Amino acid sequence: EVQLVESGGGLVQPGMSLRLSCAASGFTFDDHAMHWVRQVPGKGLEWVSSISWDSDNVDYADSVKGRFSISRDNAKNSLYLQMNSLRAEDSAVYYCAKDFEETAMVQGIMIKGLYGMDVWGQGTTVTVSS
Amino acid sequence: DIQLTQSPSFLSASVGDRVTITCRASQDITSYLAWYQQKPGKAPNLLIYAASTLQSGVPSRFSGSGSGTQFTLTISSLQPEDSAIYYCQQLHSYPFITFGQGTRLEIK
């Protein structure tokens, strides 16, 4: 079964750090880029960070750049998110998600590309509060 | 940043109704748009990718259309289990992905 399982969430004070983990199974982990997406309860989805299959490319939303760090260990089929200098506005459910690569029609041409996120974890909750 | 605006934000419809949700992009994203369904307490589920391709396992009553800046998600015959929040997502500026604000669909 294809599965992602997040862990590491919890209650932390502002300014502190937390490290989230995401364990992957059921697919070839090192074939895929991975993402972190967060959601404040009752609100919408926000992309947080992405990492390429080989860790050569990492990217961050402006809201977390300089404070969060994404990494992966392909030998352990695991994805991580190191969150430093946490703020109240970082409180959210954090999901890890797998890239969905397919060949699809774009402007009349079949193009192999990245078209979404097809596997998501159940989420782990981060609460930043004093 | 590419902004996505969904309309309506809330929709109430009856079983069997045809329902349409719109997603407008702030700039041309060709066909790099996906649709997700999210039920309470669950992760999003990919329904449509490349604007109009149905993801494997998704019921055929769901369909997507559009290109450029205007996209629609249509449910041809609403079922009780379709009550959820629906999000569009653009991947044109990958990896700087953005989501629409969501449309909550309620079954009357």
Side-chain angles (χ1 to χ4, degrees), chain B residues 68-99:
Chain B
T69 61
Q70 192 89 1
F71 302 87
T72 59
L73 172 69
T74 300
I75 308 173
S76 60
S77 179
L78 199 62
Q79 299 301 303
E81 60 267 30
D82 298 336
S83 177
I85 300 176
Y86 293 84
Y87 294 94
C88 57
Q89 176 200 50
Q90 69 80 21
L91 298 107
H92 183 266
S93 60
Y94 184 98
F96 299 98
I97 295 161
T98 50
F99 294 88

Side-chain angles (χ1 to χ4, degrees), chain A residues 1-75:
Chain A
E1 180 190 4
V2 176
Q3 196 173 11
L4 295 171
V5 178
E6 302 95 339
S7 60
L11 173 63
V12 64
Q13 292 184 336
M16 302 298 285
S17 298
L18 207 57
R19 189 195 196 206
L20 305 184
S21 299
C22 171
S25 60
F27 65 97
T28 306
F29 182 69
D30 55 11
D31 273 354
H32 297 276
M34 296 293 295
H35 305 270
W36 288 99
V37 175
R38 68 185 181 184
Q39 184 173 37
V40 174
K43 302 296 184 183
L45 299 163
E46 179 188 16
W47 169 77
V48 173
S49 182
S50 298
I51 186 168
S52 60
W53 69 273
D54 58 0
S55 303
D56 276 358
N57 295 292
V58 297
D59 294 282
Y60 302 94
D62 287 344
S63 57
V64 307
K65 195 175 296 183
R67 300 186 298 121
F68 289 13
S69 177
I70 190 171
S71 62
R72 65 190 295 163
D73 185 336
N74 287 342

Side-chain angles (χ1 to χ4, degrees), chain B residues 22-67:
Chain B
T22 297
C23 178
R24 183 181 299 112
S26 59
Q27 63 188 73
D28 187 348
I29 59 171
T30 60
S31 298
Y32 288 100
L33 188 101
W35 289 97
Y36 295 83
Q37 177 192 66
Q38 186 178 33
K39 295 186 177 181
K42 300 294 187 180
N45 180 48
L46 179 64
L47 298 176
I48 302 282
Y49 64 92
S52 60
T53 305
L54 194 67
Q55 171 66 331
S56 176
V58 174
S60 59
R61 63 180 180 273
F62 291 92
S63 65
S65 65
S67 67

Side-chain angles (χ1 to χ4, degrees), chain B residues 2-17:
Chain B
I2 298 175
Q3 310 298 321
L4 297 178
T5 303
Q6 290 183 230
S7 60
S9 296
F10 173 77
L11 182 56
S12 182
S14 301
V15 172
D17 283 354

Side-chain angles (χ1 to χ4, degrees), chain A residues 47-113:
Chain A
W47 169 77
V48 173
S49 182
S50 298
I51 186 168
S52 60
W53 69 273
D54 58 0
S55 303
D56 276 358
N57 295 292
V58 297
D59 294 282
Y60 302 94
D62 287 344
S63 57
V64 307
K65 195 175 296 183
R67 300 186 298 121
F68 289 13
S69 177
I70 190 171
S71 62
R72 65 190 295 163
D73 185 336
N74 287 342
K76 295 182 178 179
N77 289 343
S78 292
L79 174 73
Y80 307 100
L81 186 68
Q82 177 67 42
M83 304 185 296
N84 299 330
S85 303
L86 281 162
R87 305 167 180 167
E89 54 265 35
D90 295 319
S91 297
V93 175
Y94 284 74
Y95 295 101
C96 62
K98 167 187 163 292
D99 235 7
F100 176 60
E101 185 175 27
E102 240 323 329
T103 301
M105 185 75 71
V106 178
Q107 294 185 311
I109 303 170
M110 292 299 288
I111 298 177
K112 185 174 183 180

